[in-house]
Amino acid sequence: EIGLDASRRSCAVNAEMVESRREIKAAQQIREAREGRSTLSIWLAGAWTLSVITLTIASRCPWKALAIWFAINVVTFALYAADKAAAKRGGWRTPEAHLHLLALVGGWPAAAYAQRFFRHKTSKETFRATYWLTVIANIGLMLWLATPSGRIYLGGVV
């Protein structure tokens, strides 16, 4: 409807966005696909966390390494929280490279939970693709560290 604003100029009143059924369905499919990816990362993060703890209890991974891994995950979650808060208020943001580096060195489970909990960094496809590459690289490295040669290397470092 056409009405008048406070200065008596013509303007739209009682306006509504009209979306086609196709646009509504496409948006719904995108949301469902994102939820599915998020659910996968949550399940994988939970399973991986249990695996790391189990490896430590079974003496395949030093307790110091578990403590470092836990600290990295706490820092990762905190940085995601800080970045989301900064995004809301328009403040200084955490560079994506820092978030990816933390994921690469073992903080990806916390990143998965933070992405889901804060609904942060879930729609940018380039970020998600790099995130999944860090997950794959970290899992590969951790599996190697669980082998005899990896344990020897890890024992010398930690």
Side-chain angles (χ1 to χ4, degrees), residues 54-134:
T54 302
L55 286 171
T56 303
I57 291 170
S59 298
R60 292 218 176 241
C61 185
W63 285 97
K64 288 180 189 177
L66 178 66
I68 292 168
W69 180 79
F70 182 76
I72 289 169
N73 276 274
V74 168
V75 169
T76 301
F77 194 87
L79 274 181
Y80 269 84
D83 191 47
K84 178 64 175 191
K88 283 183 173 181
R89 69 176 186 279
W92 190 263
R93 304 285 304 275
T94 303
E96 289 183 356
H98 294 175
L99 298 174
H100 288 313
L101 179 62
L102 284 168
L104 182 63
V105 297
W108 68 267
Y113 285 105
Q115 288 171 14
R116 178 75 172 259
F117 184 76
F118 299 116
R119 294 179 169 252
H120 190 50
K121 298 291 187 184
T122 57
S123 60
K124 189 174 180 185
E125 292 300 324
T126 55
F127 184 89
R128 298 290 299 159
T130 306
Y131 164 78
W132 279 107
L133 288 174
T134 65

Side-chain angles (χ1 to χ4, degrees), residues 5-18:
D5 66 9
S7 301
R8 312 278 304 148
R9 294 177 293 190
S10 295
C11 68
V13 295
N14 297 327
E16 292 182 29
M17 292 293 292
V18 179

Side-chain angles (χ1 to χ4, degrees), residues 6-63:
S7 301
R8 312 278 304 148
R9 294 177 293 190
S10 295
C11 68
V13 295
N14 297 327
E16 292 182 29
M17 292 293 292
V18 179
E19 293 183 85
S20 69
R21 291 185 191 275
R22 183 181 305 165
E23 291 170 330
I24 293 169
K25 186 169 183 152
Q28 182 180 3
Q29 288 173 335
I30 290 170
R31 280 192 303 276
E32 289 171 357
R34 285 184 187 144
E35 278 295 313
R37 288 190 310 237
S38 176
T39 301
L40 172 64
S41 64
I42 292 298
W43 279 98
L44 185 60
W48 187 251
T49 299
L50 287 175
S51 298
V52 169
I53 292 168
T54 302
L55 286 171
T56 303
I57 291 170
S59 298
R60 292 218 176 241
C61 185
W63 285 97

